[in-house]
């Protein structure tokens, strides 16, 4: 059993909604409350409300840029959404505030919370808390984990344990065991402008050469196709994919020739074109003298580079695709509830109309309880026990019970 809510409200209204959910799910095992506006600025006060109203129920309170449910999306306002469910065992966790090595601290925290068991880890990270590569190596400490999540609006998420303790850190989350791992998929709000090119030379985060050409030359060729098509200045992003793997399972050597532009295939984790999965990264600067592009530490020799433009049509089609995929993958089970974590760079600012993504989810899942947020970045599934930081991405997780 699960119930969700969303509302424009202050503390008094939120208290009413929390009490209603508690009455509707008497044997609840866990919950999440997303808050925006003034409620996000007073997340500690919200945590106190959750602790007293959902007494004995582990939960997480997440500051967000906006909140959403199957009923609609609340942007630029004070409000809340949430879901309370029964089933499984839920344990909040938080990273130490001043860990010497945050990446190792995350791996050790997940190892303690989950270990080798089949489980789900939902991470809510404060902006700036996760460096490039922070999610690499998670499979070594939690190989059976389904990992996903999002970035908070500003302050840390707060966990409430079953004993009523409040915990928080740069990354706060929920470990869920004894419950079928959710079906999770993700899609970026972007249209590819080029094929993928193996990165050959990088210096200090600046990509100098890829696919046998300078990075700036590749960028110019890709963006030339935009021409006068866009009425406003388009947002062009780098799309990064892992090194190509040859049939024997080893990473292929970087080649000088670019991969042929792929056609849209089945939607997969993060971005997927054909069999290539990718994440989006901002282009932080240009180095004219070396004809390079500053992309940061994620751009490494051997990775594959393409260029993409933020696009509402592609975003809508991508969400429809992952919703269809998740729904079909759940056949033979009983859906309980879903979480949808959508970048704050999507929503009305992208589509020019409100509730576009909520309507897509409602059309696919009808009255299934859904709660979610508009996030500063996303933590998207990549492989068993692995995840990647993503931008302009929607992450959909469907929790279900065997039928």
């Amino acid at each position: 059993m699960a119930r969700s809510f969303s509302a424009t409200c202050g503390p008094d209204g939120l208290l009413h909604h929390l009490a209603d959910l508690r009455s509707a799910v008497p044997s609840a095992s866990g919950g999440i409350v997303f808050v925006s506006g003034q409620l996000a600025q007073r997340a500690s006060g919200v945590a106190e409300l959750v602790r007293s109203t959902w007494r004995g129920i582990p939960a997480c309170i997440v500051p967000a840029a906006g909140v959403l449910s199957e009923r609609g999306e609340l942007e630029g306002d004070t409000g809340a959404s949430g879901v309370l469910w029964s089933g499984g065992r839920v344990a909040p966790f938080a990273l130490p505030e001043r860990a010497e090595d945050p990446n190792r601290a995350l791996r050790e925290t997940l190892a303690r919370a989950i270990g080798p068991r089949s489980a789900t880890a939902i991470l809510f990270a404060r902006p700036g808390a996760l460096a490039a590569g922070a999610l690499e190596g998670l499979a070594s400490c939690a190989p059976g984990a389904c990992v996903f999540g999002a970035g908070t609006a500003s302050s840390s998420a707060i966990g409430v344990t079953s004993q009523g303790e409040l915990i928080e850190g740069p990354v706060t989350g929920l470990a869920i065991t004894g419950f079928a791992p959710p079906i999770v998929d993700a899609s970026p709000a972007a249209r590819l402008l080029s094929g993928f090119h193996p990165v050959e030379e990088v210096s200090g985060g600046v990509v100098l050469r890829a696919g046998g050409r300078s990075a700036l030359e590749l960028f110019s060729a890709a963006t030339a196709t935009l021409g006068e098509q866009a009425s406003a200045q388009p947002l062009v992003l780098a799309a990064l994919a892992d090194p190509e793997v040859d049939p024997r399972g080893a990473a292929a050597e970087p080649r000088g020739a670019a991969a042929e532009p792929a056609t849209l295939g089945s939607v997969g984790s993060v971005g997927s074109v054909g069999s290539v999965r990718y994440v989006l990264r901002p282009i932080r600067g240009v180095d004219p003298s070396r004809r390079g592009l500053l992309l940061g530490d994620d751009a490494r020799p051997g990775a594959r580079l393409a260029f993409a433009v933020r696009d509402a049509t592609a975003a809508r089609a991508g969400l429809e695709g992952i919703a269809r995929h998740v729904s079909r993958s759940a056949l033979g089970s009983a859906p309980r509830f879903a979480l949808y974590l959508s970048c704050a760079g999507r929503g009305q600012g992208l589509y020019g109309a409100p509730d576009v993504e909520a309507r897509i989810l409602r059309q696919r899942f009808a009255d299934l309880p859904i709660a979610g947020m508009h996030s500063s970045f996303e933590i998207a599934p990549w492989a068993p026990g692995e995840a990647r930081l993503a931008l302009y991405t929607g992450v959909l997780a469907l929790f279900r019970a065997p039928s």
Side-chain angles (χ1 to χ4, degrees):
M1 177 183 290
R3 292 288 188 275
S4 65
F5 81 95
S6 66
T8 301
C9 62
D12 292 341
L14 175 58
L15 181 61
H16 172 75
H17 289 292
L18 294 174
D20 280 352
L21 255 65
R22 184 68 181 89
S23 298
V25 189
S27 58
S29 57
I32 300 177
V33 178
F34 301 99
V35 289
S36 62
Q38 294 182 7
L39 287 179
Q41 297 170 16
R42 303 169 182 171
S44 58
V46 174
E48 293 289 353
L49 287 178
V50 171
R51 174 165 63 176
S52 61
T53 311
W54 289 358
R55 189 178 301 276
I57 301 171
C60 196
I61 295 83
V62 186
V67 300
L68 59 90
S69 74
E70 73 277 12
R71 303 166 185 85
E73 302 173 49
L74 301 176
E75 300 182 67
D77 207 346
T78 294
S81 72
V83 62
L84 190 65
W85 69 87
S86 61
R89 294 177 296 279
V90 180
F93 60 85
L95 264 64
E97 186 61 49
R98 292 179 177 82
E100 289 186 11
D101 184 343
N103 294 5
R104 187 174 76 176
L106 178 58
R107 293 192 294 270
E108 292 175 348
T109 298
L110 287 182
R112 288 193 299 268
I114 294 173
R117 295 175 292 180
S118 175
T120 302
I122 311 174
L123 311 179
F124 297 108
R126 197 169 62 211
L130 295 177
L135 300 175
E136 295 178 4
L138 294 185
S140 63
C141 61
C146 171
V147 182
F148 68 96
T152 66
S154 54
S155 57
S156 297
I158 302 173
V160 182
T161 71
S162 57
Q163 293 79 32
E165 179 187 1
L166 301 183
I167 62 172
E168 63 180 291
V171 179
T172 305
L174 295 177
I176 305 174
T177 56
F179 203 69
I183 302 167
V184 189
D185 212 340
S187 178
R191 171 173 56 87
L192 286 176
L193 299 174
S194 72
F196 283 86
H197 309 263
V199 174
E200 297 155 343
E201 185 179 356
V202 181
S203 175
V206 177
V207 177
L208 300 177
R209 296 189 63 79
R213 304 162 73 184
S214 74
L216 189 55
E217 183 182 358
L218 290 176
F219 176 77
S220 298
T223 55
T225 61
L226 294 174
E228 300 298 326
Q229 298 174 18
S231 57
Q233 185 69 25
L235 176 60
V236 180
L237 301 153
L240 291 173
D242 281 346
E244 190 173 6
V245 177
D246 70 21
R248 295 166 295 179
E253 291 294 324
R255 297 193 302 268
E260 291 297 320
T263 56
L264 184 63
S266 60
V267 179
S269 298
V270 195
S272 178
V273 176
S275 59
V276 180
R277 294 180 302 165
Y278 63 89
V279 292
L280 300 173
R281 291 291 183 266
I283 298 171
R284 301 177 181 177
V286 176
D287 185 336
S289 62
R290 296 189 292 174
R291 301 188 62 76
L293 298 174
L294 176 60
L295 303 183
D297 293 339
D298 290 306
R300 304 167 184 173
R304 289 176 288 170
L305 170 67
F307 298 99
V309 61
R310 192 174 69 126
D311 184 87
T313 300
R316 185 182 292 107
L319 179 55
E320 290 171 345
I322 64 170
R324 181 170 57 249
H325 169 255
V326 166
S327 177
R328 289 176 177 173
S329 298
L331 293 176
S333 61
R336 293 280 191 88
F337 67 94
L339 297 175
Y340 181 58
L341 313 174
S342 179
C343 181
R346 296 166 68 109
Q348 191 166 349
L350 175 63
Y351 298 110
D355 300 334
V356 170
E357 298 193 329
R359 285 198 300 271
I360 291 172
L361 296 176
R362 188 165 59 247
Q363 288 168 1
R364 174 60 58 178
F365 299 106
D367 295 326
L368 180 76
I370 300 174
M373 67 184 288
H374 293 147
S375 51
S376 56
F377 58 88
E378 297 70 56
I379 299 172
W382 193 257
E386 295 186 17
R388 294 285 189 276
L389 296 181
L391 299 175
Y392 301 104
T393 295
V395 179
L396 177 63
L398 178 65
F399 290 78
R400 79 277 190 216
S403 60

